[in-house]
Amino acid sequence: MFSEFLQYLFTGITIGATYALIALGFTLIYNANHVINFAQGEFLMIGGMATVSLTAMGVPMLLAIVLAVVLAGLMGIALQRLAIAPAKDANVVTLIIITIGASIFIRGLAQLVWGKKYHVMPNFSGDEPIEVFGAVLNSQSLWVLGVGAVLVAVLVYFFTRTMTGKAILATSMNKDAARLVGIRTQMVLMLAFMVSALLGSIAGIVVAPITFTSYDIGIILGLKGFVAAAIGGLGSGVGAVVGGLALGVVEAMAAGYLSSDYKDAVAFSMILLVLFFMPRGLFGAKVVERV
Amino acid sequence: MNGTLAHYTKKFLAITAAGLLAMSAQAADPIRIGSFLSVTGPASFLGDPELKTLEMYVEKINEEGGVLGRQLELIHYDDAGNASKARNFASRLIRSDRVDIIVGGSTTGATMAAVPMIEQAQIPFISLAGATVITTPVKKWVFKTPQSDRMAAERILDDMKSRGLTKIGLISGTGGFGSSGREQTLAVAKEMGTIEVVADETYGGSDTDMTAQLTNIRGTDGVQTILNFGFGQGPAIVTRNYAQLGIDLPFYQSHGVASDGFLELAGDSAEGLRLPASPLLVPDSLPDSDLQKPIVEAYKSEYEARWNAKVSTFGAYAYDGLMLAVQAIEKAGTTDKEAVRDALENIQGHVGVTGTYNMSADDHNGLTADSFRILEVQNGSWKLVN
């Protein structure tokens, strides 16, 4: 009985940590310019697919991971430079639509380059699962959790202790004021996209051994990440992490104790409930509209 | 002046001669084989090998002198996996291309979208899609080459029974293939009576972890074996989760993942699992007495030599479809649609890659569950067990 519960919990936390990492990517860009970047899932895909194809070409795993992350970072910069920046002062909805277009484009490109097959990535540290009180834990889950925790810590440091991080926050609060105090806001936006892409690609790489990877893996994971970010409250780092974990655990519990048929329904009802009672999400900032 | 007249006469003669030639060519008009396949789009893994197979064997038959002394002409369209496009292309094949027979329809959706029009136009149609609904109930003009999922369920449950396994934990994908397979499994189990489905779990097409469902099945009282009916990457994830959880019950998959791609994805976790599959996966281990052996071997080597790609069971459906069409036309001795249809319905003992076809008025598929071979994964490759 307990071991079953534990099993569901492990499953939920692993998948939840993935959602949380994706949600963090959403949060980052949202904080910079209030855009929800629907190409976030594609960064995930680029990370996983590039790593797989590079290792297939004989590049050592670690180097392949680094190259894949760099590639995704460049992709993030390119997305901001080539698609978002030219739209200049377009309103947020237009920018969101641009990111949707960009995601379709990136996915198409990936399909051309890498084909439509699913690919496997080996576990980072052996296939032997770890047994805890009768439940089993995939060793890769620990990687996901560990890498997730490190990334969160780095992000917190970045935003609260570094000048660049503060510049991003400042830009998000008031672009004009930020520009007045000498922040190069276009530069900051580019940086936000790059960091978000790095984050997404790392998430894509650590989860690839669990989920497999293919050119369209970003769609559904990106969507779930967005749900997690919305539950947690868009723009809140803590919210993204809590939202992701909560979503993952609720999904796994629903599949285990209710019915696997209603797993997704339960997850999506959760977002309805949360948004109904707390429209800004669990940790969303209170926003006062100034007229 | 005179010169110009002679010139005109010459020109006139030339035109008449050309016209005559064209008329004589019409006498030995090619036999038109129409096809609509999902060559691109999400179902391209079906349509692509199917088209390659059709192109290659139409060429080959033509080099060998054609059928009834006439050449074959393949007219094909790409429906990109879109049912309404499939319907439009079927209409074009019938109305403007005036084909003699249609061999195509990669997916059940595309096939069923075209069926009403084909029935109305009264043209023989051999579908390459799997679902039971295509030929049950029997439609006068519609035939199909792949086995139904029901036969796969029968074959799997038979094998379980012979191993003394009677309590099944079922896990299936919620997609079309998985949910239809689930229904058929439940129905077959009910009919057999001796087998009971004690757990019934599902997972979504893009789910990335099925540990929770498998834990549930493992915790079910008396469960003796696990069956996964699904398609795509889902079954590979189920297989990996199954291995991670250390479940040691006999494990079955459906014919939906009977491909080398699945073995690549599932890796070591697939060791020991069984599934029903086409003999095409194990041509070398077929006994010499097997009638299908030479045909399977020839198809595999010819396809792989020509396209430099791995052969797939889906391409074999097209091979069987084309060969059935050719045999029916030869038997009928004409391309008259009614006669070809009657000949198709009376085909007996036609040995194909997928199985041996015995058509009849109330069976437009002609295969039995035995055409599936039960394979087991041993040391990372397929091994024929039954």
Side-chain angles (χ1 to χ4, degrees):
Chain A
M1 200 57 219
F2 177 66
S3 74
E4 273 172 26
F5 172 78
L6 212 57
Q7 189 66 60
Y8 302 144
L9 194 66
F10 286 163
T11 304
I13 289 179
T14 307
I15 195 74
T18 318
Y19 296 161
L21 284 180
I22 305 164
L24 275 175
F26 276 108
T27 303
L28 211 71
I29 290 181
Y30 181 82
N31 269 344
N33 64 348
H34 292 270
V35 164
I36 294 156
N37 170 30
F38 277 104
Q40 191 61 34
E42 295 348 295
F43 295 144
L44 200 82
M45 176 272 293
I46 296 275
M49 291 296 284
T51 308
V52 167
S53 65
L54 284 170
T55 39
M57 289 184 326
V59 181
M61 184 85 166
L62 201 63
L63 184 61
I65 290 177
V66 172
L67 287 176
V69 172
V70 170
L71 177 71
L74 292 177
M75 205 94 180
I77 294 175
L79 175 64
Q80 200 275 333
R81 288 278 86 186
L82 303 177
I84 303 290
K88 286 225 159 75
D89 293 324
N91 63 31
V92 169
V93 177
T94 314
L95 293 178
I96 291 176
I97 293 172
I98 290 177
T99 66
I100 296 177
S103 83
I104 296 173
F105 174 75
I106 298 174
R107 204 151 56 230
L109 211 60
Q111 186 187 335
L112 275 180
V113 178
W114 287 310
K116 285 189 286 194
K117 269 177 58 181
Y118 271 84
H119 298 271
V120 216
M121 196 193 291
N123 273 0
F124 291 179
S125 47
D127 283 331
E128 215 43 52
I130 303 152
E131 199 151 330
V132 191
F133 298 117
V136 287
L137 185 61
N138 185 345
S139 64
Q140 190 65 26
S141 299
L142 295 179
W143 276 100
V144 175
L145 293 174
V147 169
V150 169
L151 285 180
V152 170
V154 168
L155 277 183
V156 168
Y157 179 82
F158 177 70
F159 277 114
T160 54
R161 297 271 184 275
T162 68
M163 208 53 167
T164 330
K166 286 179 180 168
I168 292 183
L169 284 184
T171 310
S172 109
M173 286 166 189
N174 192 324
K175 210 167 164 183
D176 294 329
R179 212 176 279 155
L180 278 178
V181 296
I183 295 170
R184 292 166 63 195
T185 51
Q186 279 301 323
M187 199 66 187
V188 161
L189 280 182
M190 198 172 90
L191 206 68
F193 270 86
M194 187 190 81
V195 174
S196 172
L198 295 180
L199 203 64
S201 63
I202 295 175
I205 294 167
V206 289
V207 298
I210 299 177
T211 61
F212 298 133
T213 184
S214 81
Y215 80 100
D216 62 354
I217 191 88
I219 303 177
I220 192 74
L221 283 179
L223 202 62
K224 288 278 174 65
F226 170 65
V227 170
I231 289 175
L234 274 171
S236 156
V238 184
V241 174
V242 173
L245 290 174
L247 184 65
V249 171
V250 166
E251 268 187 17
M253 293 295 168
Y257 288 115
L258 290 170
S259 154
S260 36
D261 286 336
Y262 299 126
K263 183 176 64 105
D264 285 339
V266 170
F268 287 116
S269 319
M270 189 165 97
I271 185 179
L272 282 183
L273 272 181
V274 168
L275 292 186
F276 189 73
F277 291 109
M278 307 170 84
R280 301 239 133 238
L282 294 173
F283 295 87
K286 291 214 166 40
V287 171
V288 184
E289 282 288 333
R290 261 167 299 185
V291 194
Chain B
M1 184 73 191
N2 238 346
T4 24
L5 190 64
H7 176 77
Y8 275 120
T9 324
K10 254 187 206 160
K11 207 170 181 180
F12 173 76
L13 280 174
I15 291 169
T16 326
L20 280 172
L21 267 174
M23 273 169 73
S24 69
Q26 212 157 25
D29 229 6
I31 296 174
R32 292 161 161 264
I33 295 182
S35 188
F36 57 96
L37 299 165
S38 310
V39 182
T40 60
S44 60
F45 65 96
L46 302 169
D48 181 57
E50 285 166 357
L51 178 61
K52 282 179 172 159
T53 303
L54 288 182
E55 280 179 339
M56 158 183 174
Y57 282 95
V58 163
E59 235 169 69
K60 187 165 177 252
I61 291 169
N62 283 340
E63 272 164 25
E64 287 164 3
V67 180
L68 303 177
R70 293 162 65 183
Q71 294 278 294
L72 297 182
E73 184 188 349
L74 179 67
I75 300 159
H76 63 86
Y77 297 107
D78 175 15
D79 63 39
N82 178 329
S84 77
K85 271 193 191 167
R87 193 176 170 282
N88 290 339
F89 286 134
S91 154
R92 195 190 294 185
L93 286 171
I94 296 165
R95 301 224 164 87
S96 64
D97 299 322
R98 301 188 171 277
V99 296
D100 297 301
I101 187 166
I102 300 178
V103 178
S106 304
T107 66
T108 299
T111 296
M112 293 312 285
V115 157
M117 182 169 307
I118 284 166
E119 283 284 295
Q120 196 191 9
Q122 310 209 321
I123 180 163
F125 171 44
I126 304 176
S127 165
L128 311 179
T132 316
V133 29
I134 297 170
T135 49
T136 316
V138 173
K139 297 166 194 69
K140 191 176 173 198
W141 297 89
V142 182
F143 299 79
K144 77 177 177 102
T145 52
Q147 299 99 337
S148 307
D149 34 17
R150 184 185 174 85
M151 289 176 203
E154 279 172 13
R155 195 76 175 86
I156 295 168
L157 265 50
D158 260 347
D159 192 64
M160 288 175 173
K161 207 168 131 188
S162 68
R163 291 166 90 183
L165 308 166
T166 56
K167 290 195 173 2
I168 309 174
L170 179 62
I171 175 167
S172 53
T174 49
F177 182 84
S179 60
S180 166
R182 173 181 167 274
E183 277 168 34
Q184 299 300 336
T185 307
L186 294 176
V188 172
K190 208 169 173 188
E191 273 167 38
M192 288 172 79
T194 46
I195 286 198
E196 195 188 344
V197 177
V198 290
D200 182 7
E201 297 280 336
T202 60
Y203 58 84
S206 48
D207 281 6
T208 52
D209 191 302
M210 288 65 151
T211 325
Q213 289 93 321
L214 286 170
T215 307
N216 257 350
I217 293 181
R218 179 170 63 177
T220 308
D221 269 345
V223 65
Q224 291 172 323
T225 176
I226 297 179
L227 164 60
N228 177 204
F229 233 110
F231 197 72
Q233 89 287 8
I237 296 180
V238 172
T239 308
R240 300 236 290 198
N241 292 161
Y242 168 91
Q244 278 155 12
L245 287 172
I247 301 175
D248 51 7
L249 302 170
F251 187 36
Y252 285 82
Q253 285 281 354
S254 74
H255 58 305
V257 294
S259 72
D260 293 339
F262 169 74
L263 283 187
E264 262 168 49
L265 283 183
D268 293 342
S269 322
E271 212 50 36
L273 74 77
R274 287 189 177 190
L275 51 68
S278 157
L280 192 56
L281 261 69
V282 286
D284 302 333
S285 25
L286 294 176
D288 287 334
S289 59
D290 195 315
L291 288 175
Q292 279 175 264
K293 184 170 175 139
I295 292 169
V296 170
E297 280 180 336
Y299 174 65
K300 184 176 156 74
S301 64
E302 282 167 5
Y303 185 95
E304 290 179 352
R306 166 72 195 267
W307 300 107
N308 199 15
K310 273 222 137 235
V311 74
S312 89
T313 32
F314 312 118
Y317 298 151
Y319 174 87
D320 290 336
L322 182 66
M323 293 307 160
L324 283 170
V326 166
Q327 210 202 335
I329 292 170
E330 269 172 354
K331 257 193 164 167
T334 159
T335 51
D336 176 66
K337 299 188 174 66
E338 188 81 41
V340 171
R341 193 211 77 92
D342 290 346
L344 255 180
E345 198 172 81
N346 288 313
I347 284 180
Q348 289 292 317
H350 174 92
V351 184
V353 174
T354 313
T356 301
Y357 293 88
N358 291 300
M359 299 283 186
S360 70
D362 43 46
D363 183 4
H364 278 192
N365 177 212
L367 293 174
T368 58
D370 292 338
S371 56
F372 276 123
R373 307 298 197 277
I374 291 285
L375 309 184
E376 189 174 295
V377 181
Q378 288 178 10
N379 302 321
S381 61
W382 305 109
K383 191 90 202 286
L384 184 73
V385 287
N386 191 353

